[in-house]
Amino acid sequence: MASRNQNRPPRSPNAKKEGLGGIPFDKRRKVETQGTGRRQAFSAVNKQDVTMNSDVGSIEECGKVEFTKDEVLALLSERAKAGKFDTKAKIEQMTDIIKRLKVCVKWFQQADETHIQEKENLKVSLESAEQKYNHKELDARTKEEELQATISQLKENVVSLHEKLAKEESCKQDAIECHRREKESRVAAEKVQASLGEELDKVKEEKMAAKQKVTSLEDMYKRLQEYNTSLQQYNSKLQTDLETVRAALTRAEKEKSSILENLSTLRGHSKSLQDQLASSRVLQDDAIKQKDSLLLEVTNLRNELQQVRDDRDRQVVQSQKLAEEIGKYQENVGKSSQELDILIAKSGSLEETCLLQKERINMLEQQLAIASERQKMADASVSLTRTEFEEQKHLLCEQQDRLADMEHQLCEAELLRKKLHNTILELKGNIRVFCRVRPLLPDDGGRHEATVIAYPTSTEARGRGVDLVQSGNKHPFTFDKVFNHEASQEEVFFEISQLVQSALDGYKVCIFAYGQTGSGKTYTMMGRPETPEQKGLIPRSLEQIFQASQSLGAQGWKYKMQVSMLEIYNETIRDLLSTNRTTSMELVRADSGTSGKQYTITHDVNGHTHVSDLTIFDVCSIGKISSLLQQAAQSRSVGKTQMNEQSSRSHFVFTMRISGVNESTEQQVQGVLNLIDLAGSERLSKSGATGDRLKETQAINKSLSALSDVIFALAKKEDHVPFRNSKLTYLLQPCLGGDSKTLMFVNISPDPSSAGESLCSLRFAARVNACEIGIPRRQTSTKLLDSRLSYG
Ligand code: ADP
Ligand code: MG
């Protein structure tokens, strides 16, 4: 209470007059909200009554006193509470009230003043505020505009951001899709990776195996290379031998030609001498004639001279007569002196003529002497020429003798050459392999497919190489000789004619034709005998043998030839020359042992083979052979109908034994020529055989593998050679390896569908080609044997 009194002046009475409107803004608020405080303040004023009672002036000095509306209203409505009769109290109360009213009025006036003041201030501040406001409004407007711009910009930004967002959204979708797909592919890749891992393992294993194989192959290659180099050295040695022999031969030939030339020049010389002799004789005759004519001329001249002399004498007589006449006609001398002069002149000229004639006579006599001298010389030269002629004749005889000698030597050299050639072939020692590719036939399926056979053109492989292309892979092979599809039967035969000759020289020769059915084995061996240029090796060999045996007959050789032809079907021998036709079925029985004909094969100690009950024909002409070949072909074709195309399912063996005897040299040779058309080599799986066919195929496979086993065993020089594993190898035992010459034709079909079989055939042939079997020996003896020989 005390603090309030200190802070606030007592209420001036003016405050009552001013009313509430004069209360400053902040104070009015106090009036409205702090009713309790105001009442307290009023009560404080009321309580001051005691202290401020005496002096109003002190009230004014008390400072400002605040009044609320209620206080003012209360003050206005306040009445003197003293009784009607207490005027004094009433006056006192009334003065107090007046005093308080005065304070209130004063407060009111003050408040009003402050209010006006404040109003003014407010006006000023309002104006400034208004100005500020306007400024602010302007600012705000510009700001608003700016903001609007920013807003629109932001809106645009928002739109663009929306667009971006949409784009981003689609991108996100794409990315999600991508991610999904990647996930899938990753899964797939993982799977692939797993499978690749497995494959890698497998490949690693394969690689290891291949590495091992490679090392083994490398070893083999090294060994082969060594072998090859040794062969090459050997070959080069042989070549040099051949070269020296050739050089000797050429030297001999050169000598022969020089002798021939010499002889011809001598002949020319002798002829010229003879000509000279004849000419000198003619000359001599001429000289004699000339001499005669000169003699005649001399006599003539002598006669003439005589005449001239006579003339002269007569002239002399005449001159004498004239002299007499002179005497007679002395008086006519003057006249006749002229005549005389003339006559003298005449006589002089005549004398001159006479002298001339004399000279001529001398000349002629000289000529005569020369001619006679010449004649003498000619006579001498004639005798000289004669002696020379005799000498030349002698020389000619000598030269002719020498020529004969040289010719003889040449024959011997030729023989030596043949022998050396043979030795080269012998030293080669391995089975030789020729490859023959038949032309594409109209029946072949693969006419429009790519060719599977190619022939390399490099110099070292030309004529010896053949490449087979199968499913894109090239398989190169080389053999002793390769005949392409264009090779004629004659060309093929030319290459083997030396071998056929060897049979005549006493060797055992085997020529095989190997290959699948339809590859041209029968065509190569037999050909088409009805057309001369398509005749095969068998008829051509026989022709050569007959021709050669005939020409060797001039050297004292007599040959005996025997022929047999058989077929091996299902390991059973079938005689193709048997006159008994039922034999075609005997093989079945022979197999079971019920037939009388066993066809057992035996070899004697001399290496000669005997087949019991086999028909053997002595042949001495090509005509006979042809009929036998026909018979065999017929016999085979009978089998063909009965035995399910047996011709390609059986081995055909043509055998010719050749025995030669030379009575003059007591030499004897025994050769054998075997020509074998093997059964088709196609594999079992391909033929899809069952039943009888299966048995057939198995028999063929067995005998072909037996043949290769024998060849490879011979090549490895094994102690045991399994000749007995098949009828074919057992039959040919003496003719395989050791002392025989073997040639194998591998026949190839160019039909692309046969490429697999062709590859098998070529691989087999290549293995055979690598075999060295032995050195062939010639079967000869100088002991003259009985003309009936055993045939091996
Ligand atoms: P294979 O005896 O191997 O079964 P062939 O000799 O019977 O085969 O030949 C099959 C076919 O092909 C025959 O028609 C034959 O005339 C023909 N032929 C084979 N080689 C030749 C060739 N070099 N020239 C022409 N035709 C051939
Ligand atoms: Mg055939």
Side-chain angles (χ1 to χ4, degrees):
M1 281 268 220
S3 64
R4 188 169 172 104
N5 285 340
Q6 285 163 5
N7 290 339
R8 288 189 187 181
R11 292 175 189 246
S12 87
N14 290 345
K16 208 181 170 181
K17 268 195 206 165
E18 292 287 320
L20 205 59
I23 299 167
F25 179 69
D26 52 331
K27 285 174 185 168
R28 252 188 295 158
R29 234 178 17 185
K30 274 182 183 170
V31 169
E32 281 162 10
T33 56
Q34 290 172 345
T36 330
R38 258 169 269 152
R39 245 175 266 128
Q40 280 171 348
F42 188 69
S43 58
V45 172
N46 284 347
K47 279 178 183 169
Q48 275 176 348
D49 284 356
V50 186
T51 53
M52 295 189 297
N53 217 343
S54 51
D55 194 4
V56 176
S58 66
I59 292 169
E60 278 173 8
E61 280 163 18
C62 278
K64 287 168 190 171
V65 180
E66 284 179 29
F67 291 88
T68 62
K69 191 185 170 183
D70 290 337
E71 280 171 338
V72 174
L73 285 177
L75 196 58
L76 288 176
S77 55
E78 209 170 311
R79 299 290 179 257
K81 283 168 186 173
K84 272 181 174 179
F85 302 113
D86 197 355
T87 22
K88 202 188 168 187
K90 238 183 179 177
I91 291 162
E92 272 176 35
Q93 279 176 352
M94 281 302 290
T95 41
D96 184 44
I97 289 167
I98 288 161
K99 263 184 190 172
R100 277 194 284 156
L101 278 172
K102 272 179 183 170
V103 171
C104 189
V105 166
K106 194 151 186 194
W107 168 75
F108 195 77
Q109 275 167 343
Q110 274 177 346
D112 199 33
E113 272 165 24
T114 53
H115 179 72
I116 286 159
Q117 185 81 35
E118 252 174 62
K119 200 180 164 185
E120 229 118 82
N121 286 349
L122 279 172
K123 251 182 195 169
V124 173
S125 63
L126 185 68
E127 269 165 17
S128 71
E130 257 174 4
Q131 269 177 351
K132 265 185 198 168
Y133 172 76
N134 283 338
H135 275 299
K136 282 222 173 121
E137 203 175 37
L138 263 173
D139 282 355
R141 261 186 206 149
T142 50
K143 264 187 189 164
E144 196 188 332
E145 275 164 17
E146 274 170 18
L147 283 172
Q148 285 290 350
T150 0
I151 283 165
S152 62
Q153 218 178 335
L154 284 172
K155 267 179 188 164
E156 278 168 21
N157 277 359
V158 166
V159 168
S160 73
L161 281 172
H162 269 298
E163 279 169 10
K164 260 188 199 168
L165 186 68
K167 263 192 228 160
E168 293 279 282
E169 202 85 309
S170 69
C171 275
K172 189 179 141 197
Q173 287 298 333
D174 287 352
I176 286 165
E177 183 66 18
C178 239
H179 180 65
R180 193 181 53 75
R181 263 188 266 131
E182 251 170 45
K183 248 188 192 169
E184 280 171 10
S185 59
R186 201 177 123 202
V187 169
E190 268 166 5
K191 274 185 205 164
V192 170
Q193 193 190 3
S195 70
L196 280 176
E198 279 168 23
E199 250 173 66
L200 184 69
D201 290 345
K202 262 191 252 160
V203 166
K204 269 180 188 163
E205 277 168 28
E206 271 170 31
K207 190 186 151 194
M208 290 296 289
K211 259 188 188 164
Q212 281 172 357
K213 218 171 165 184
V214 163
T215 47
S216 71
L217 280 174
E218 269 170 0
D219 281 354
M220 203 159 104
Y221 175 67
K222 264 181 204 160
R223 264 182 279 132
L224 282 174
Q225 264 186 341
E226 278 163 22
Y227 176 60
N228 194 18
T229 47
S230 71
L231 267 184
Q232 273 173 352
Q233 280 168 1
Y234 193 45
N235 196 18
S236 61
K237 214 185 90 195
L238 287 175
Q239 289 282 5
T240 48
D241 282 359
L242 186 65
E243 287 300 302
T244 50
V245 169
R246 266 190 192 144
L249 186 67
T250 48
R251 256 186 279 126
E253 256 162 23
K254 266 188 198 161
E255 218 173 307
K256 183 189 158 188
S257 64
S258 73
I259 284 164
L260 281 175
E261 258 176 44
N262 219 339
L263 186 65
S264 67
T265 52
L266 280 175
R267 271 181 187 149
H269 197 60
S270 119
K271 195 153 186 282
S272 75
L273 281 173
Q274 271 175 351
D275 287 351
Q276 217 175 326
L277 185 65
S279 70
S280 15
R281 270 186 189 147
V282 170
L283 220 77
Q284 192 188 6
D285 289 349
D286 278 358
I288 289 164
K289 270 184 203 164
Q290 216 173 344
K291 188 185 149 198
D292 289 348
S293 70
L294 283 170
L295 281 175
L296 205 76
E297 216 172 321
V298 167
T299 46
N300 281 345
L301 283 167
R302 274 187 186 141
N303 287 341
E304 223 173 301
L305 187 67
Q306 202 52 48
Q307 260 181 13
V308 170
R309 272 179 187 150
D310 287 352
D311 263 4
R312 192 191 65 188
D313 289 346
R314 257 183 275 127
Q315 293 291 342
V316 169
V317 172
Q318 218 173 349
S319 76
Q320 278 173 354
K321 269 183 195 169
L322 281 169
E324 277 170 30
E325 258 181 61
I326 287 164
K328 277 180 204 172
Y329 299 105
Q330 243 174 354
E331 62 261 35
N332 293 330
V333 169
K335 294 176 194 174
S336 303
S337 59
Q338 223 172 354
E339 212 176 315
L340 182 67
D341 286 344
I342 296 162
L343 279 171
I344 286 165
K346 215 177 179 181
S347 135
S349 75
L350 276 171
E351 265 173 359
E352 254 178 43
T353 325
C354 183
L355 277 171
L356 274 172
Q357 292 291 353
K358 258 182 187 164
E359 269 177 24
R360 209 173 155 197
I361 285 162
N362 280 339
M363 234 169 69
L364 281 171
E365 269 170 352
Q366 271 177 3
Q367 262 183 17
L368 183 66
I370 289 165
S372 45
E373 190 75 15
R374 249 191 180 168
Q375 193 194 350
K376 267 181 203 160
M377 263 165 62
D379 280 347
S381 93
V382 163
S383 62
L384 208 82
T385 312
R386 252 191 207 139
T387 50
E388 214 173 300
F389 178 63
E390 288 306 315
E391 269 175 23
Q392 292 295 342
K393 229 179 178 176
H394 187 69
L395 212 77
L396 186 66
C397 282
E398 263 180 17
Q399 295 287 358
Q400 264 165 350
D401 285 353
R402 216 167 141 200
L403 182 68
D405 223 45
M406 295 303 301
E407 264 165 6
H408 182 69
Q409 266 183 30
L410 196 67
C411 282
E412 274 181 355
E414 180 69 15
L415 276 176
L416 191 74
R417 187 192 65 75
K418 276 185 187 158
K419 228 165 120 186
L420 279 168
H421 178 73
N422 230 0
T423 321
I424 289 168
L425 289 186
E426 280 171 8
L427 288 172
K428 234 183 140 190
N430 57 343
I431 285 193
R432 287 193 293 153
V433 179
F434 288 0
C435 172
R436 186 179 193 182
V437 183
R438 74 153 165 80
L440 258 183
L441 299 175
D443 294 345
D444 286 335
R447 202 144 252 284
H448 304 294
E449 288 174 47
T451 51
V452 290
I453 305 283
Y455 306 97
T457 51
S458 63
T459 42
E460 70 269 22
R462 190 195 296 278
R464 303 203 320 112
V466 60
D467 298 339
L468 182 99
V469 183
Q470 193 197 21
S471 50
N473 295 329
K474 192 171 106 175
H475 304 275
F477 293 95
T478 41
F479 299 106
D480 293 297
K481 180 88 193 160
V482 171
F483 298 100
N484 64 18
H485 59 277
E486 286 173 332
S488 67
Q489 297 281 59
E490 193 183 347
E491 282 168 52
V492 175
F493 177 69
F494 178 77
E495 287 294 327
I496 65 131
S497 59
Q498 200 66 44
L499 265 186
V500 174
Q501 184 65 39
S502 295
L504 263 182
D505 294 344
Y507 289 94
K508 285 178 177 143
V509 176
C510 271
I511 301 177
F512 291 97
Y514 179 95
Q516 70 179 115
T517 301
S519 59
K521 298 182 297 294
T522 309
Y523 184 84
T524 301
M525 282 299 172
M526 286 300 284
R528 298 185 189 130
E530 61 281 2
T531 29
E533 62 273 14
Q534 292 200 52
K535 275 188 293 193
L537 299 186
I538 294 175
R540 281 174 199 267
S541 304
L542 300 176
E543 276 169 23
Q544 185 189 340
I545 283 171
F546 278 109
Q547 276 168 14
S549 68
Q550 270 165 20
S551 62
L552 284 168
Q555 291 175 21
W557 282 98
K558 275 189 187 146
Y559 282 98
K560 180 175 168 148
M561 274 152 292
Q562 294 187 313
V563 164
S564 68
M565 286 181 234
L566 57 86
E567 193 172 44
I568 302 174
Y569 174 72
N570 275 359
E571 284 298 285
T572 313
I573 290 177
R574 186 168 161 246
D575 186 358
L576 290 173
L577 295 181
S578 171
T579 39
N580 183 2
R581 280 293 162 83
T582 55
T583 4
S584 57
M585 286 306 287
E586 262 166 29
L587 52 114
V588 184
R589 274 178 276 137
D591 213 15
S592 53
T594 53
S595 166
K597 298 196 172 184
Q598 291 294 314
Y599 299 120
T600 33
I601 304 164
T602 49
H603 305 298
D604 66 18
V605 283
N606 297 321
H608 301 146
T609 304
H610 304 271
V611 180
S612 61
D613 294 319
L614 187 70
T615 315
I616 297 173
F617 274 101
D618 283 2
V619 287
C620 47
S621 73
I622 196 81
K624 174 73 179 170
I625 290 259
S626 304
S627 72
L628 288 180
L629 285 174
Q630 255 173 356
Q631 190 185 333
Q634 225 167 9
S635 193
R636 259 198 129 183
S637 62
V638 167
K640 190 174 179 172
T641 50
Q642 292 180 347
M643 293 289 172
N644 190 15
E645 271 234 64
Q646 190 186 325
S647 72
S648 68
R649 322 292 304 157
S650 67
H651 308 303
F652 168 74
V653 183
F654 172 94
T655 307
M656 184 180 230
R657 289 119 177 143
I658 305 160
S659 317
V661 177
N662 193 330
E663 280 173 10
S664 58
T665 59
E666 295 201 343
Q667 266 189 318
Q668 188 203 330
V669 292
Q670 286 176 37
V672 185
L673 177 65
N674 286 301
L675 299 163
I676 303 122
D677 182 358
L678 291 170
S681 63
E682 50 272 19
R683 285 161 296 179
L684 182 62
S685 56
K686 197 180 173 187
S687 53
T690 50
D692 283 351
R693 197 79 170 151
L694 181 72
K695 200 180 152 201
E696 258 178 17
T697 314
Q698 280 169 342
I700 293 165
N701 286 355
K702 189 181 153 225
S703 60
L704 287 178
S705 66
L707 178 62
S708 54
D709 289 346
V710 163
I711 290 169
F712 299 139
L714 286 168
K716 286 182 200 154
K717 302 193 170 46
E718 280 171 9
D719 294 335
H720 174 69
V721 180
F723 285 114
R724 282 181 181 268
N725 279 3
S726 81
K727 277 262 155 60
L728 180 70
T729 50
Y730 190 53
L731 177 73
L732 297 173
Q733 181 171 353
C735 302
L736 284 172
D739 53 355
S740 69
K741 295 184 177 190
T742 310
L743 173 76
M744 185 171 278
F745 271 95
V746 55
N747 287 89
I748 297 295
S749 160
D751 186 0
S753 63
S754 300
E757 282 300 334
S758 298
L759 188 60
C760 282
S761 296
L762 286 168
R763 279 186 177 147
F764 171 76
R767 283 182 68 203
V768 170
N769 198 28
C771 282
E772 185 186 314
I773 274 184
I775 295 168
R777 262 182 281 121
R778 185 182 185 194
Q779 195 138 24
T780 58
S781 68
T782 45
K783 201 168 44 156
L784 185 62
L785 297 178
D786 184 357
S787 61
R788 275 189 63 79
L789 302 151
S790 55
Y791 303 103

